[in-house]
Amino acid sequence: RDAKGLRKMAGNQRDDSAPGPSPVSSDSMGATGSEFSVDQNFDHRAFPILLVEPNEDTRRRFKEDFGGTLTIQEVTSPGEARTWLAEQEYAVVIADLDLGEGAGAELLSEIAEAQPHILRIILTERRDQDSLLRAINQARAYAYITCPWDVAELSMTLRRAVERFALDSQNRQLVAELRRDRTELASLVSEQTEALLKANERLTKLA
């Protein structure tokens, strides 16, 4: 498999409760533009991508096309993918839809439930839009790739996915810090209120 045919997904993967998105052309998604504002020194290789692909030629081509600018971990089966996902953090998981018996979509669906922050991308040679859309909705996919792919276009999509993951991770961290600060503030206010009540009680007794 090698080069031409990518479609990105409209919709916000961060809302995993929403219905599956509908595919649109990457041109209408602004593939040549910038979805997120990232520092020019942003290191895309710091965010690994897991490729689940049994075909050796496809794995080799994918590594040749994108391994120079992105960190690609390759596995050949859902079982291997589950093992690696339990041991390491990934920004993106790309699974071949043709792993057999719906295993690719099933794996991505599992990831959507257990690790929804990981962006999920379907890789396929299928041209059956109905089955593809069912798989996209099942996996709640960020994007799907049809083989053969366009190198420049897919490179842009993968880089945007990594940036999206980084931005979402930063937002989750900020939310967690805000919640922690609010909890600490509430605890402090409670302690001070209790101290004031006790002081007021002592003053009442002295009066």
Side-chain angles (χ1 to χ4, degrees), residues 18-88:
S22 300
V24 296
S25 72
S26 53
D27 290 339
S28 64
M29 288 288 288
T32 58
S34 177
E35 291 181 11
F36 309 110
S37 176
V38 296
D39 188 276
Q40 62 180 354
N41 296 319
F42 181 84
D43 183 9
H44 292 82
R45 292 185 60 85
F47 301 89
I49 295 172
L50 182 64
L51 173 66
V52 190
E53 172 54 63
N55 186 286
E56 183 178 357
D57 289 339
T58 302
R59 294 197 309 272
R60 176 186 53 79
R61 178 61 188 271
F62 200 91
K63 199 67 175 284
E64 288 176 354
D65 287 344
F66 311 113
T69 56
L70 298 166
T71 300
I72 310 294
Q73 170 71 46
E74 303 170 9
V75 297
T76 61
S77 69
E80 283 186 89
R82 293 182 183 99
T83 298
W84 281 100
L85 284 163
E87 298 176 356
Q88 182 173 332

Side-chain angles (χ1 to χ4, degrees), residues 45-189:
R45 292 185 60 85
F47 301 89
I49 295 172
L50 182 64
L51 173 66
V52 190
E53 172 54 63
N55 186 286
E56 183 178 357
D57 289 339
T58 302
R59 294 197 309 272
R60 176 186 53 79
R61 178 61 188 271
F62 200 91
K63 199 67 175 284
E64 288 176 354
D65 287 344
F66 311 113
T69 56
L70 298 166
T71 300
I72 310 294
Q73 170 71 46
E74 303 170 9
V75 297
T76 61
S77 69
E80 283 186 89
R82 293 182 183 99
T83 298
W84 281 100
L85 284 163
E87 298 176 356
Q88 182 173 332
E89 176 82 281
Y90 292 95
V92 180
V93 174
I94 304 171
D96 193 326
L97 192 58
D98 305 310
L99 290 174
E101 301 299 325
E106 181 179 340
L107 172 64
L108 294 180
S109 181
E110 289 177 14
I111 295 170
E113 293 296 329
Q115 298 170 285
H117 56 284
I118 297 177
L119 275 73
R120 303 167 295 281
I121 296 179
I122 288 173
L123 176 65
T124 184
E125 289 184 340
R126 297 187 189 182
R127 296 298 185 269
D128 179 354
Q129 292 297 309
D130 289 339
S131 63
L132 180 55
L133 284 174
R134 283 195 298 271
I136 288 168
N137 288 331
Q138 179 183 352
R140 285 172 274 178
Y142 169 79
Y144 73 85
I145 306 161
T146 56
C147 297
W149 58 74
D150 179 272
V151 175
E153 191 173 11
L154 181 50
S155 177
M156 177 70 73
T157 296
L158 295 176
R159 289 169 66 87
R160 291 292 175 259
V162 166
E163 292 166 11
R164 163 74 168 271
F165 175 87
L167 179 63
D168 286 353
S169 296
Q170 184 180 52
N171 288 343
R172 287 195 304 273
Q173 182 178 353
L174 291 173
V175 169
E177 291 175 355
L178 178 60
R179 288 174 176 168
R180 185 173 60 250
D181 290 344
R182 290 177 63 181
T183 300
E184 292 174 354
L185 178 59
S187 177
L188 179 61
V189 169

